[in-house]
Amino acid sequence: MGNEIYIVICNNKNIADFTGVNVSQECYKTKEQAIAFCVSRMNEEEIEKYEKALARGLISWYEFDTKNYIYTIKVLNLK
């Protein structure tokens, strides 16, 4: 697994075209670091909603939804 990095795609819900989609300025060495970045962008209510949906299997570990953004973690393989 040492040949993987994690990036975060940020989709602004208020912008309907491609200009609302960005990639975070940093990439992460571990899944936990990428998740921590996404969770740091959420408020307590959003975190609670995320944890409940994750526990029920309604979302995957890489999906995060906030008021204004949807964060998606992508795993890239280094060659």
Side-chain angles (χ1 to χ4, degrees), residues 23-34:
V23 176
S24 66
Q25 296 292 317
E26 300 174 336
C27 57
Y28 302 93
K29 291 181 181 179
T30 67
K31 179 167 88 170
E32 291 76 18
Q33 290 173 325

Side-chain angles (χ1 to χ4, degrees), residues 4-78:
E4 294 178 340
I5 60 170
Y6 300 81
I7 64 164
V8 179
I9 298 174
C10 311
N11 187 354
N12 188 324
K13 293 179 179 181
N14 301 316
I15 301 174
D17 63 18
F18 71 93
T19 61
V21 179
N22 293 301
V23 176
S24 66
Q25 296 292 317
E26 300 174 336
C27 57
Y28 302 93
K29 291 181 181 179
T30 67
K31 179 167 88 170
E32 291 76 18
Q33 290 173 325
I35 290 171
F37 168 81
C38 295
V39 171
S40 74
R41 300 298 191 255
M42 302 169 84
N43 63 36
E44 287 182 34
E45 182 180 324
E46 292 164 343
I47 293 170
E48 184 178 327
K49 183 178 175 184
Y50 166 77
E51 290 173 348
K52 286 180 180 179
L54 189 61
R56 293 181 60 201
L58 300 175
I59 60 171
S60 297
W61 66 268
Y62 53 83
E63 301 172 296
F64 302 84
D65 192 14
T66 68
K67 180 181 177 185
N68 295 314
Y69 290 91
I70 298 171
Y71 297 97
T72 308
I73 298 172
K74 296 291 183 184
V75 182
L76 300 180
N77 294 310
L78 297 174

